[in-house]
Amino acid sequence: MKIGLLTSGGDCPGLNAVIRGAVLHGIKSYDYELVGFLDGWRGVVEGDIMDLPRSSVRGLARVGGTILGTSRTNPFDGPNGGPENIAKTIEKLGVDAIVAIGGEGTLAGAKRLADAGLPVVGVPKTIDNDLQATDYTFGFDTAVQIATDAMDRLRTTGDSHHRCMVAEVMGRHVGWIALHSGMSAGAHAILIPEQEVPMEQVAAWVSEVHERGRSPLVVVAEGFIPEGFDEVLHNKGLEADGRPRLGGIGDYVTQEIERLTGIETRNTILGHIQRGGAPTSFDRVLATRFGMGAVDLVRDGAWGQMVALRGTDVQRVDFSEALDGLKTVPEARYDEAKILFGR
Ligand code: F6P
């Protein structure tokens, strides 16, 4: 059995740990051969692979990014894309199964290929933690830890200068990173895409904190859209896929807080730092278990399925379960966090 791994979509701490888990389990337990497709689906479409002997994964669990490279290439695009061409390409390479490691877009592509009869299984990945089928994805814990550390540091300037500090974190559709990092850093307001909060309310929370002699900390997810933001969005521009540009919302929230409260306010965009560097131990363990679980899916010929964390168990679910809408922050979780806002 020869298994081809690919990592696709945004890089994420823990991708290398998945690769290591799959390679070690595949070789040690079943004597399988592992290879990696380079730069996501591009490597599949173009037949561009590297060998993954046991020595290639030594010490890899602690290394961020992906040794295979990644891209946002669509496997259905171009003259060599699509199920029939891909079937021919992998046959020529002697690859018997594909393990697609990626987020919503990657898994949607993997599902279409599996539905067309290709031997594809999946591993869910996103730092945003917004996939339905799994309680957690690796990369999320690392992003929350990095954001928490950054906010702890922002407090120094806030306290010394009596300023309000705003931290903009990732999360274009959901606010899990903002919610968890904000709660853990003791934020006085957390703004997420799922909840509409008027800037007057944010200003009130900030003023209450300032009045009792503390420096306010506001966490805003990049996808938060306050009332009346459309015009600003228009001015700042959009990414090609229609989402707000990183930095648009944090700047806006900062300006509005300053305007409404008169308190000096500064914005920090954490950006891709949240995806950089070594994964936390939680993410290393989860990613390793996902990599091993994916090899077991291949062993069982469970095409069209992916691994998922349910409680503390790694289980297998159909791709369609992961693609059944985004896992948003429930209102009850936001209300719980809100108890800690303002005064
Ligand atoms: O989906 C993961 C994520 O990090 C989002 O939180 C963020 O909006 C996006 O990717 C950034 O993507 P890119 O690296 O392509 O700018």
Side-chain angles (χ1 to χ4, degrees), residues 94-280:
V95 170
D96 304 297
I98 296 174
V99 175
I101 309 162
E104 211 198 348
T106 306
L107 297 173
K111 179 183 184 315
R112 274 180 72 189
L113 292 175
D115 288 347
L118 264 72
V120 184
V121 300
V123 173
K125 168 239 67 163
T126 162
I127 66 159
D128 298 339
N129 203 36
D130 58 2
L131 280 169
Q132 280 291 0
T134 181
D135 290 348
Y136 283 99
T137 40
F138 59 86
F140 172 67
D141 187 64
T142 305
V144 169
Q145 187 60 55
I146 291 169
T148 302
D149 289 347
M151 288 171 206
D152 289 350
R153 288 175 188 278
L154 290 176
R155 294 260 193 197
T156 307
T157 300
D159 288 340
S160 307
H161 289 258
H162 316 293
R163 283 176 181 163
C164 170
M165 303 304 280
V166 174
E168 181 186 313
V169 298
M170 281 186 165
R172 52 182 140 156
H173 303 302
V174 302
W176 287 110
I177 295 175
L179 184 82
H180 280 230
S181 60
M183 274 185 98
S184 112
H188 304 102
I190 300 171
L191 308 174
I192 61 175
E194 295 90 332
Q195 295 287 331
E196 218 175 70
V197 182
M199 283 312 299
E200 288 72 18
Q201 173 61 77
V202 180
W205 285 327
V206 165
S207 296
E208 286 165 14
V209 174
H210 194 253
E211 272 158 26
R212 59 184 173 84
R214 302 288 318 277
S215 45
L217 173 68
V218 175
V219 179
V220 54
E222 62 179 321
F224 170 68
I225 302 186
E227 282 171 1
F229 186 64
D230 283 0
E231 197 185 328
V232 183
L233 200 64
H234 178 72
N235 292 341
K236 291 279 177 189
L238 299 169
E239 299 287 3
D241 63 1
R243 66 196 153 97
R245 273 193 206 293
L246 273 175
I249 189 61
D251 284 346
Y252 176 76
V253 167
T254 301
Q255 281 163 28
E256 283 297 281
I257 290 173
E258 223 168 36
R259 184 177 71 78
L260 293 165
T261 67
I263 300 165
E264 198 181 11
T265 305
R266 293 285 190 274
N267 179 36
T268 299
I269 303 163
L270 300 183
H272 292 85
I273 290 172
Q274 293 160 95
R275 287 189 348 211
T280 60

Side-chain angles (χ1 to χ4, degrees), residues 74 76-82 85:
N74 185 326
F76 292 86
D77 286 350
N80 299 320
N85 289 327

